[in-house]
Amino acid sequence: SHSAKADQVYFVDGGEHETSQEYPEHNIFILNGTTLSLVNGISIVAPSDGKDGEEAVRVEDAFFHAKNGLISGGLGVGGSGVTVTTNRNSEFQAKATFEDGVTVHGGDAIRQTTTRGGDAVQVLHAGSEAVFKGGVFTPGAGCTVQVCGQPTSTGNSVQV
């Protein structure tokens, strides 16, 4: 079920890929031992409605090399910029590497959906790994019932 404006893009063939286009309203899924490198200053921005998923990039049993560019989690839904996760019986241990030229933002919250801002990078499950060689990581702003942007419920730059 896709919303009208959001697209899910899957990299699942086990090969190596580089970004060559902008992803302004997209969820990127890297699966099955596939490698994707973020290059050419490309932006990956998750959709704001959350119907198609909250994270901009999901690295599941796969590999992501963020060399340069911008990643932003779903705005309004407190989505993660990058989620790194490994399934229990996977033959691949998920790994994301971040270089100097990359900026990752967690999505901001709105009270109708969630009050907690999104994490810039979220690492889940045993075997998953994130390597930080550089980059800028900012959590999404949270909100209380009264006002959004309160630091009390902001997400984390890195959540492990």
Side-chain angles (χ1 to χ4, degrees), residues 124-148:
L124 304 174
H125 307 121
S128 300
E129 181 181 4
V131 176
F132 298 93
K133 297 180 177 178
V136 177
F137 304 89
T138 56
C143 58
T144 63
V145 175
Q146 293 83 16
V147 61
C148 281

Side-chain angles (χ1 to χ4, degrees), residues 84-104:
V84 184
T85 182
T86 302
N87 289 311
R88 189 181 322 181
N89 297 320
S90 174
E91 57 187 291
F92 304 105
Q93 296 198 326
K95 180 177 180 180
T97 303
F98 300 91
E99 305 278 357
D100 278 338
V102 71
T103 299
V104 184

